[in-house]
Amino acid sequence: MSCFISKYADELAKNAAYIGTPGKGILAVDESTGTIGKRLSSINVENNEENRRALRELLFTTPGALQYLSGVILFEETLYQKTASGGVIPGIKVDKGTVELNGTNGETFTQALDGLAQRCQKYYEAGARFAKWRAVLKIGLNEPTELAIQENANGLAMYAAICQQCGLVPIVEPEILVDGPHDIKKCAEVTERVLAACYKALNDHHVMLEGTLLKPNMVTSGSDSPKVAPEVIADEEEATLNLNAMNRLQTKKPWSLSFSFGRALQQSTLKAWAGKENLKKAQEALLVRCKANSEATLGTYKGDAKLGEGAAESLHVKDYKY
C-alpha cells in the first residue's frame, strides 16, 4: 500500500471492489450535451433537456438491467437531475476535455485540475462515489511522444489523488485511440509503455491502488489496418466478443476484467427508441446488451444475443471527443 492517509480509505476500497464485481459492469452516460445531441439527431430527436432526460431515464429504469450493472457514469447535468438509478453506484465525469500540447503533432493533455477538489467535494455531497477522467493518446510515426505519455500519466495521477482525498474512487483512463494503420503488436507495445508510466505516476502521488479502477483501451490493430481475430472493436457485438475472449484466457488474472461501455451498450437501444414511443422495445434492446456483457465478464458468452437494429453498426469515430 502507498503512503495514503484519508478518512475515506476503507470506503474507497469497498466501492472499488463492488464496482468490479464479476458479472457486473458500468453504464457510461457521461456524454456532453453536444455529444448526446449528435446521437439524438441521428434519430431525429431534438436536443433539449427533456429529451436527454427521457433517454437517460429509459436506460436507468430498464427492468432487469440493474442486476448486470454496478455503476453508472453521469454527466454533471444528470447527477443533479436526481434520475431514478437505485441499485448502482453513481459516478461523475470530472475532466473538461483536452488541449493540445505545444510542440507536438496534435498530441493532447486533459484539463480540469484547477478547482477539482472543490468540485469533487460537491459531487460527493450529491451522492457520487467514483469519478472518471479520460486522457487521450495516439499512435503515429513518432507518437506517442515521451512528453505526451508523462504529461498524461502525471495528470491522471494528480486527478486520482485529489479524488481519493474527497471520497471518490478514480477511474484511471489512459485511452490510446484506435485511429491509424498500426498493427496489434504496435498497440500492445504502446499500451505497455503508457500503463507503466501511469502506475509509476500513481505510486509517486501516493494513490491507493485498491481504491482505483483502470479503464484502458483494448489492444487491437488500428482502424486503418487489416483486422485480426478477435476483430477490431467496431460495433456492440464485437465489443462483447472481445471482452468474452479476454476473460476466457487461461492465465493468472488477479483482478476483475469488466466493462465500462457507453455507445457499446446504447447503440441498438437508441435505434429502437427513436423518440418516446418505443420505450419497451428500447429497454428490451438494452437488457439484451447488458446480459450479454455480464456473461462476457465471466467468459461464458456464447454469441447468441439477439442483435437489434444498430448492433452491427460501426461505433468508431475518428479522433473521438465526448
Side-chain angles (χ1 to χ4, degrees):
M1 178 181 289
S2 61
C3 183
F4 175 81
I5 301 174
S6 170
K7 64 180 180 180
Y8 298 109
D10 291 342
E11 181 182 345
L12 291 167
K14 180 181 178 181
N15 285 338
Y18 176 76
I19 294 171
T21 300
K24 294 179 179 287
I26 296 173
L27 170 63
V29 287
D30 56 328
E31 305 94 343
S32 67
T33 301
T35 297
I36 198 171
K38 294 176 182 177
R39 297 185 190 173
L40 290 174
S41 67
S42 72
I43 56 171
N44 298 316
V45 173
E46 183 182 354
N47 181 18
N48 57 42
E49 184 175 352
E50 180 181 357
N51 287 331
R52 294 193 297 272
R53 179 167 184 159
L55 174 59
R56 286 161 174 157
E57 281 276 8
L58 178 164
L59 300 171
F60 299 154
T61 61
T62 295
L66 295 185
Q67 64 182 307
Y68 304 122
L69 301 174
S70 55
V72 56
I73 307 173
L74 305 169
F75 188 59
E76 188 168 13
E77 172 186 85
T78 321
L79 181 65
Y80 293 107
Q81 283 177 339
K82 303 298 182 184
T83 305
S85 57
V88 297
I89 295 179
I92 181 73
K93 170 192 169 185
V94 299
D95 72 72
K96 296 185 177 180
T98 60
V99 292
E100 188 167 333
L101 278 171
N102 289 333
T104 67
N105 182 26
E107 293 183 290
T108 60
F109 173 78
T110 304
Q111 57 184 344
L113 289 171
D114 289 347
L116 180 59
Q118 291 76 16
R119 289 190 290 124
C120 284
Q121 291 167 1
K122 182 176 66 172
Y123 297 147
Y124 185 91
E125 292 172 358
R129 290 298 179 267
F130 70 99
K132 175 188 172 184
W133 175 290
R134 176 178 179 252
V136 183
L137 297 110
K138 66 177 184 177
I139 297 176
L141 187 62
N142 299 302
E143 292 80 32
T145 60
E146 191 62 21
L147 173 65
I149 292 174
Q150 294 302 326
E151 288 295 321
N152 281 289
N154 280 296
L156 283 165
M158 287 187 282
Y159 137 80
I162 292 170
C163 283
Q164 289 191 336
Q165 290 298 334
C166 298
L168 301 182
V169 172
I171 291 181
V172 177
E173 183 180 6
E175 181 178 356
I176 301 166
L177 296 177
V178 72
D179 303 351
H182 55 272
D183 61 21
I184 193 170
K185 291 182 179 180
K186 178 66 174 179
C187 183
E189 181 266 324
V190 170
T191 300
E192 184 175 313
R193 287 171 54 207
V194 169
L195 292 182
C198 285
Y199 277 92
K200 172 64 165 60
L202 290 170
N203 184 69
D204 288 346
H205 286 267
H206 306 298
V207 173
M208 188 180 81
L209 296 184
E210 57 268 49
T212 66
L213 297 167
L214 173 66
K215 185 182 178 183
N217 53 281
M218 288 188 180
V219 176
T220 66
S221 56
S223 58
D224 299 324
S225 174
K227 292 184 179 181
V228 294
E231 290 186 336
V232 170
I233 178 171
D235 59 43
E236 286 183 337
E237 181 67 1
E238 286 177 2
T240 306
L241 291 172
N242 279 345
L243 178 61
N244 190 69
M246 288 185 283
N247 276 302
R248 286 180 61 83
L249 286 173
Q250 297 302 309
T251 185
K252 184 177 181 181
K253 297 189 284 286
W255 49 76
S256 172
L257 179 57
S258 185
F259 62 89
S260 176
F261 288 161
R263 290 169 294 165
L265 278 176
Q266 297 180 45
Q267 181 83 346
S268 56
T269 301
L270 189 66
K271 295 288 186 180
W273 181 51
K276 299 180 182 179
E277 304 302 321
N278 303 301
L279 182 64
K280 183 178 179 181
K281 182 179 177 182
Q283 291 186 328
E284 287 174 349
L286 176 64
L287 187 61
V288 166
R289 298 317 315 167
C290 286
K291 181 176 184 293
N293 284 293
S294 170
E295 293 172 353
T297 69
L298 303 173
T300 60
Y301 179 57
K302 299 183 177 4
D304 54 356
K306 180 181 178 182
L307 299 184
E309 181 186 355
E313 292 184 10
S314 174
L315 300 176
H316 177 246
V317 178
K318 189 173 182 179
D319 193 27
Y320 178 61
K321 296 180 177 64
Y322 72 142

